[in-house]
Amino acid sequence: MGFHDECGVFGVYDHPEAANFTYLGLHSLQHRGQESAGIVATDGTSFFQHKGMGRVGDVFRPEDIKDLKGRSAIGHVRYSTSGKSTLKNAQPIAIEYSLGKLAVGHNGNLVNIDKKRRELVEHGSIFTSEIDTEILVHLIATSRKPTVVDRIRDALSQVNGAYSLAILTDKQLIAVRDPYGFRPLVLGSVQGSPVIASETCALELIDGEYVREIEPGEILVVDSKGMHSEHLEPAPRLAKCIFEHVYFARPDSHLFGRGVYETRKELGRQLARESHVPADVVIPVPDSGVPAALGYAGEAKIPYEMGLVRSHYVGRTFIEPRQSIRHFGVRLKLSPNRDLLQGRRVVVIDDSIVRGTTSRKIVNMIRAAGAKEVHMRISSPPTTHPCFYGIDTPTREELIGANMGTPEINRYLGSDTLAYLSMEGLHRAVGSDRKSFCDACFSGAYPIPVE
Amino acid sequence: MGFHDECGVFGVYDHPEAANFTYLGLHSLQHRGQESAGIVATDGTSFFQHKGMGRVGDVFRPEDIKDLKGRSAIGHVRYSTSGKSTLKNAQPIAIEYSLGKLAVGHNGNLVNIDKKRRELVEHGSIFTSEIDTEILVHLIATSRKPTVVDRIRDALSQVNGAYSLAILTDKQLIAVRDPYGFRPLVLGSVQGSPVIASETCALELIDGEYVREIEPGEILVVDSKGMHSEHLEPAPRLAKCIFEHVYFARPDSHLFGRGVYETRKELGRQLARESHVPADVVIPVPDSGVPAALGYAGEAKIPYEMGLVRSHYVGRTFIEPRQSIRHFGVRLKLSPNRDLLQGRRVVVIDDSIVRGTTSRKIVNMIRAAGAKEVHMRISSPPTTHPCFYGIDTPTREELIGANMGTPEINRYLGSDTLAYLSMEGLHRAVGSDRKSFCDACFSGAYPIPVE
Amino acid sequence: MGFHDECGVFGVYDHPEAANFTYLGLHSLQHRGQESAGIVATDGTSFFQHKGMGRVGDVFRPEDIKDLKGRSAIGHVRYSTSGKSTLKNAQPIAIEYSLGKLAVGHNGNLVNIDKKRRELVEHGSIFTSEIDTEILVHLIATSRKPTVVDRIRDALSQVNGAYSLAILTDKQLIAVRDPYGFRPLVLGSVQGSPVIASETCALELIDGEYVREIEPGEILVVDSKGMHSEHLEPAPRLAKCIFEHVYFARPDSHLFGRGVYETRKELGRQLARESHVPADVVIPVPDSGVPAALGYAGEAKIPYEMGLVRSHYVGRTFIEPRQSIRHFGVRLKLSPNRDLLQGRRVVVIDDSIVRGTTSRKIVNMIRAAGAKEVHMRISSPPTTHPCFYGIDTPTREELIGANMGTPEINRYLGSDTLAYLSMEGLHRAVGSDRKSFCDACFSGAYPIPVE
Amino acid sequence: MGFHDECGVFGVYDHPEAANFTYLGLHSLQHRGQESAGIVATDGTSFFQHKGMGRVGDVFRPEDIKDLKGRSAIGHVRYSTSGKSTLKNAQPIAIEYSLGKLAVGHNGNLVNIDKKRRELVEHGSIFTSEIDTEILVHLIATSRKPTVVDRIRDALSQVNGAYSLAILTDKQLIAVRDPYGFRPLVLGSVQGSPVIASETCALELIDGEYVREIEPGEILVVDSKGMHSEHLEPAPRLAKCIFEHVYFARPDSHLFGRGVYETRKELGRQLARESHVPADVVIPVPDSGVPAALGYAGEAKIPYEMGLVRSHYVGRTFIEPRQSIRHFGVRLKLSPNRDLLQGRRVVVIDDSIVRGTTSRKIVNMIRAAGAKEVHMRISSPPTTHPCFYGIDTPTREELIGANMGTPEINRYLGSDTLAYLSMEGLHRAVGSDRKSFCDACFSGAYPIPVE
């Protein structure tokens, strides 16, 4: 609980409902960013764009969608805790440059770009936002290569980091995934028209079909002649984000070739194998902890129950009581199911612990509801390092896992016992070659060193 | 005169945070009505009120709460499908009358009131809304009794139906529950101050304590001298709404002396006993079907899985695609978890079937996701009759259970098999004296005949 | 400047654009009230209503107007400085009562109603607002007379005060003016359909025609059989509001049988005759002082100039500078035209002085812009008494004219000279029998004694 | 690339209320643009910006102003009929480039920029809006000169057209006016801090003082060392916009060294001299026609009256009647004062005629109000050519003066007589060397040929 990725992207090529489908796709990707949303559409000549702060359902009114004319479109949702939450940072970025029109939506994060930014600025490029995507756009605009695809390749050869890109020109839809493969990006189709999306769940809502992943390092170009792919220089290794499996992706998505829900159940099973504790009931922290809790309960043969009920009506501008209500912030979202907890030994399953403050409130609230024992079980290793590749983690100072050992954290939370999943268990559960995943947030082993 | 439809009430007496707590209480009761919300507060002299259309979080801005001065308050949330969804029908109703100031929030529905309304109108009473609560208010205002409590008793002796009332005067908080006990109403306390609420879950958010139910026929008066109770004439029978247990109340509430979650699990267990079918997986229609599915799965020893993922971002003004997307309305809320469904024999647990259209879409969507068999299991008997006591059911014409037999409904839904819980099973699971519950929506046996 | 009347009313009978025309009529009457607006329409069976806080253009969206079905409608605009500015006080009041449906819009103010209110409350009537109109509605509802017109007459026989009423039933449009004739009310027609309005300017916008005034004491009933009039008991005297001529009505209206603009010019001419002063330029305080300034300038043979420019963009939520800007509040609305003022002897014409604070800022601002002399001339006598008949004047304590003599006020304003119009001059300019007008705000001679 | 259309700029240097004053300044300049507004402020290190669509009072909430930190700021208001009315075109444009931070607000319009734009694009510059100001910004960013002032000079040496610029860096406030002097720009001071503004009226509201005009071709730099000026290459001639005097500037502004109000009165006097007609009354089309009508009336010795009353409540989203109301669009804004017009010979003074449709409605409305004769008098020559330098005129096809002679226009309007001011009369009234003004909208003599 508590991590926030920066973005989700979506694109559709040559369909009469391009903007509508992009709107729906963004709706399905909102767990990846609820702070701003934008769509750029093209009728083959002009670009039409609409961006705004807030949720997809609030940013776009029916008349806005209607104004997004044409048969191709890309969209973007974004979240940031950096405090720079203003419209100028919303994506996609749409520009005119020497080859015509271009719009870019970016999920991920470029690293080590200060020098490149300085060079661009020396050359006369101007920056109007705080997002790294603007550098990509300038590199494309100042490239001397003859075609947009050559220029994209040229631009990307000069930067490093995580990027899954949805790019729109007046004639093409282009999908790019960095050679490390940090962030997901999939190809689908709807009623015969190609679609790209950060996650497969975005295909479900529009009744589309999943085709395949965009491969690490692939540049997929869709135009009137069909689809073709080119490839960027291979990276020294693959580095698919393991945290997408642990927490970030939606459970009904297929990620890096594997179902997220099943992976999370296996994380729970592995957790049960590693740190079984006698108990009466296994409860998830909903909704993210549900699959792991089901896995844990099944493996541990302890009944699974909904011991915490999640409210569906958490508003944005909440009014706080002046006097303190214990664990108020958590109570708003979660309510304890007293009958299930009273006098019981409770195993609580969550996906991760970031600062520890919310987990502490949850432990206290469960105990206040009458639980005899509270055993915290986390379906990933301690989060010890910030992510520089597109997940919005706090600094090391704020990460409880970077500053305390597990016994200390257990005392801080007030739980009877606390156990994290082991690193080995994590990789075994994800079922993959360890070298193909980035687990830097748990290990500090950054695939691309950060200056 | 429209139906009162679904509502929730809340009240707090003599607490410095009266309006804040009422706001939070309404927040917890929003599943009972999201169409309008209102609060009336008093400082012992004046009344302060704020009402509006929409959700609690949208109706009240911080400055609105601040203007609701005083140490006592009542609040109300409301839902109606009668199409008369305007501000004039929002509650509480606040008036000045011969004994001073009075505000009333009503959950339930009065029946057979046309004659009484005519009498009032003859007497010179005026009506400004379409809600039956206005009749109560006029009966109180025109009563010749000397005190407000006498007048409430006098007024209620002239009407019939379902009512759980939160009443505020400049000096008193009064809770009333009709002698049949149709709708729930509980007494709690927060930091020493008395609280009344439609459901116990409203006590959780404010860290309050559950004290007891307001009894059927009880008039509980809270004033500066403390609490005392009076009682209305007993009804011929009790008629607690069994549908609150089946669907309407929140699972973490304690209802009519029993935990809702546990009751629903037992409904699921009973359902499994009655209509077991060989299958690979049991999935709920989230979130309402979750406890029954857990019960069913446990009893049937079939794995429980989250085969449908619920979206948390369903907006109010959604943009529909022009071309048809199959099962679109349901897709917006629910997404199938393909890996879990593909090639499987699936038992789907839902609490009830109203018109059948949504269930049909769900069955089709699950099958389209690859399920080999789809077995629909409903944790209540067929819904065959409309409710006249405060649940917003459609007319008999629209109720599929009133117009088709189970095999026919099974064909309509497209499921392989369909089974409802038996009436006996329902009552056994609820674990009560059958005569003390109203099951008219399933049986047509209306406790109070409706003209 | 600074007075505010309570209300304007409008009504139309049997026209396919009833709600549209009422909307436009209210738009033209907004100088009479910008705080809330409401329309009730009828299709002969049902009532449709929409009310809201704010200006007509903000309260009604096109879909709101569309929902106001039917061929007859009444509307109301309201202003109040009493601080009780909430939706519950917005008009028209629409009710159901023993004879069916009734809606009332009221311009004016009833007096001495406390006893009547007590009687109603004793009888069992309830009050939900703070407006006196609610008493009228209850008196109609509780009357024993057989028809609505009889009941209106019955109700009005029990109250006293100022009232110009627009009343709608499902079959009738009824216009009533109190026997004193305090407030204006006119009959017009648009495309053959009868229209009533507070002022003739409301007829202009809809291209309607002026027919005649509703007479003091007249009850005009319009229904499917045509129009007919009844009359209330005559009052001891007439008491048409002279302040409507001085300030309140729009200059393009015809009021009490006379053009407002021409009357105001004559007030200016008379003022020049009474208190001529040698000067270089005559300037109005725009817009209300314009006609009197034109009259003064013509009579005094001094050039008329627009020495103060009025801003058209005064917003509602203005941001004030933290450091003091001299005369800031006035600057926002009015800007001095330096070239016209520098080194000049300036006569400034305004219609009245209420508290004196604004006039003082204007004098200072004109002097700061370089004027050599500033001579304040007011086109009415000193305002010394509050109005109880529908103009929103402050209390005697706040009225500078009630607490200082003219020389003292002159010193307070900082003007070189100050002169008011004489009472005789006022009546001569209005050109009427002195006894037929109410001049209580200048004389304290209240036509109806106020308890 | 659209026209720059109508705009206003404002800037203040080193004052604790920089953003507040800029807000107020924009408020005073709203007649120059009500479509979007923006402010950029600096604390000497960071830039803070807020832009939005709509009026100043709606775009900025108090918290927005509070976030605009620092002691220096510039602001911009904009109007455009080009249909490209979106946020991306709002100004000021704020960027980061090789010398740091820069923000530009532009009033005017560059011409012949297609080639320069192509060059920039070839160089790799990207464009994100449709406004010509973006070219300026790119020319500054790509210039090789060492300082921002050198770069501004370098950039401006490569473009041509009309520009009054307010430029902000983290250390400087810079005001620039093109060598032709098309648009006004003045220097003022408030409480010792330098201020720049499009018009002097913006100084009034903040109680500031007028210092002098920014000269044509002047670059005024304000920084911590004080103020100094540089000069661009002189233009072949001056070309101050004569239409600012005729219509666009506010009457209380001092423009090009002369009071606007007095100039407009003189236009009216000259008009009376040139085309006197016997009449009973002279009326202005308010508010723009007021000064010329006063001049005309004085010279012609015919009484001046407010024959048309202007409404102050014209809303943005007006509801139109379904059935036609004659001259509806004009009626909303203007109402005829029947008493003044009935049976009279009326001279109507307006500043200009663009398409003729509004004038036609006004003539018809005055005649329908009973006027015996209607004589239209225009205080400028026929508008025959579009403006390319910052006034939003329609194309020649739409300009009635470009397509009909005066007798034909007279017939179209339905007036008895129509007369325009002569070109000689215009220049005489403005009282200047004819060669120093641009009168292209009347003459077609464009100071800078447009490709």
Side-chain angles (χ1 to χ4, degrees), chain A residues 16-17 27 34 204 207 252 254 261 265 287 305-306 312-313 322-323 326 331 335 338-339, chain B residues 16-17 27 34 204 207 252 254 259 261 265 287 305-306 312-313 322-323 326 331 335 338-339:
Chain A
E17 297 228 51
H27 190 266
Q34 307 152 43
E204 276 298 340
D207 204 12
D252 53 331
H254 237 245
Y261 180 89
K265 275 193 73 174
D287 287 348
E305 301 284 6
M306 295 306 290
H312 290 292
Y313 306 103
R322 290 186 302 269
Q323 292 187 214
R326 291 176 298 159
R331 267 176 207 276
S335 187
R338 287 181 177 271
D339 291 345
Chain B
E17 298 228 51
H27 190 266
Q34 307 151 43
E204 274 299 339
D207 204 13
D252 52 331
H254 237 244
Y261 179 90
K265 274 193 75 176
D287 285 348
E305 302 283 6
M306 295 305 290
H312 289 290
Y313 305 105
R322 292 186 301 269
Q323 291 187 214
R326 292 176 297 159
R331 265 175 208 279
S335 186
R338 288 182 176 272
D339 291 345

Side-chain angles (χ1 to χ4, degrees), chain C residues 235-348:
Chain C
R237 53 165 289 193
L238 287 182
K240 296 176 284 181
C241 173
I242 205 159
F243 198 70
E244 294 261 1
H245 263 308
V246 167
Y247 166 77
F248 197 59
R250 241 174 68 167
D252 52 330
S253 282
H254 236 246
L255 187 76
F256 308 142
R258 199 186 152 112
V260 173
Y261 179 89
E262 178 50 29
T263 301
R264 289 187 189 159
K265 274 193 74 175
E266 184 56 29
L267 291 169
R269 280 187 215 109
Q270 180 65 24
L271 184 61
R273 277 174 224 127
E274 293 185 5
S275 58
H276 181 78
V277 62
D280 302 311
V281 65
V282 172
I283 70 169
V285 175
D287 285 352
S288 61
V290 166
L294 283 169
Y296 188 104
E299 183 72 21
K301 308 222 179 319
I302 302 172
Y304 165 95
E305 302 283 5
M306 296 304 291
L308 296 167
V309 173
R310 178 172 167 164
S311 170
H312 289 290
Y313 305 104
V314 178
R316 268 158 303 183
T317 56
F318 213 84
I319 289 153
E320 283 207 36
R322 292 186 300 270
Q323 292 187 215
S324 73
I325 290 180
R326 292 176 296 158
H327 346 122
F328 182 71
V330 159
R331 267 174 207 277
L332 263 180
K333 262 183 70 178
L334 299 176
S335 187
N337 202 335
R338 288 181 177 270
D339 291 346
L340 284 174
L341 303 171
Q342 206 125 22
R344 302 280 181 88
R345 296 169 300 167
V346 180
V347 175
V348 186

Side-chain angles (χ1 to χ4, degrees), chain D residues 9 41 73 76 94 132 167 169 176 212 243 255 258 284 289-290 316 322 328 344 355 429 434 438:
Chain D
V9 298
H76 190 269
D132 52 1
I167 301 177
T169 75
V176 187
R212 63 169 175 88
F243 198 70
L255 188 76
R258 203 185 148 113
V290 165
R316 266 158 304 181
R322 292 186 301 271
F328 182 71
R344 301 279 181 87
R355 290 177 184 79
R434 183 159 177 176
C438 173

